[in-house]
Amino acid sequence: EAYDIRSPRTALHEHNERARIEGIVARLREGQAIALISDAGTPLLSDPGFPLVRAVREAGLDVFPVPGPSALLAALTGAGLPTDAFAFFGFLPPKTGQRRNVLSTLASRAETLVFYESPRRIGDALADMAAMFGAERQAVVALELTKKFERFASGTLATLGAEFSAEETRGEAVILVSGGAGAAVG
């Protein structure tokens, strides 16, 4: 709507995606051109699209990506943390116990760790990261990337955790954490 697109549109989300795949693949086989777009970043990066793209590829049809805004890549390029090796983990579990279990498996990884997070859970996620990775591990919180009010906050997990536990935050966040000390990327 913001770009006044008048072509017929169909909503595709986690609750209806699998049910719509067969019809979309049939339309592609008929020679129709279909675009998978997102108003929140790049499709498939923690957004719907993976089952559809897989089905289209398995049907022997072409997929042509047209890169657009990507919070993941914008965060990496603006954070000031190493980008020669990184790992993207999407959204962490919302509950502390489950989140800490996941984080404990990542503590010794050497590459820059990248997570998406809800604005309501940034402080809790940073506190759990400080507990599992060490309070002095360097991190960056990137907010509202590729949008008008984009900003970056840098510091240790402890200082960022304190900052974001006290602050009302809006918009999706990307949390980047430096690799574990002493671990070798290779």
Side-chain angles (χ1 to χ4, degrees), residues 91-94 96 99 103 115-130 139-144 151 153 156-177:
F91 285 92
L92 290 165
T96 296
R99 187 169 47 238
L103 292 171
F115 306 91
Y116 281 172
E117 193 52 81
S118 158
R120 295 176 308 280
R121 294 191 304 262
I122 296 171
D124 292 339
L126 289 164
D128 289 340
M129 289 176 182
V140 174
V141 176
L143 297 162
E144 293 293 310
R151 70 183 176 106
T156 66
L157 286 169
T159 58
L160 289 170
E163 176 182 341
F164 284 94
S165 68
E167 178 180 303
E168 176 73 22
T169 305
R170 293 181 176 241
E172 297 297 326
V174 181
I175 300 173
L176 303 97
V177 182

Side-chain angles (χ1 to χ4, degrees), residues 4 10 15 32 39 47 53 95 100 111 113 122 127 161 177 181:
D4 198 31
T10 302
H15 303 293
Q32 292 184 30
D39 63 354
D47 279 344
V53 170
K95 295 185 178 179
R100 284 188 176 205
E111 66 268 44
L113 308 177
I122 296 171
V177 182

Side-chain angles (χ1 to χ4, degrees), residues 128-150:
D128 289 340
M129 289 176 182
M132 304 312 295
F133 298 161
E136 296 305 309
R137 182 93 69 82
Q138 292 296 304
V140 174
V141 176
L143 297 162
E144 293 293 310
L145 292 177
T146 74
K147 298 176 185 151
K148 183 177 180 179
F149 298 106
E150 161 178 310

Side-chain angles (χ1 to χ4, degrees), residues 61-77:
L61 300 167
D62 292 325
V63 173
F64 301 98
V66 179
S70 167
L72 168 66
L73 295 176
L76 279 166
T77 58

Side-chain angles (χ1 to χ4, degrees), residues 12 17-18 20-30 32-36 44 49-65:
L12 187 74
E17 183 173 11
R18 294 188 191 282
R20 296 208 168 154
I21 288 174
E22 188 175 316
I24 293 170
V25 170
R27 290 173 57 197
L28 289 168
R29 285 188 181 186
E30 292 170 1
Q32 292 184 30
I34 296 175
L36 174 61
L44 278 72
F50 172 69
L52 174 60
V53 170
R54 176 188 277 174
V56 170
R57 302 286 300 157
E58 287 175 351
L61 300 167
D62 292 325
V63 173
F64 301 98

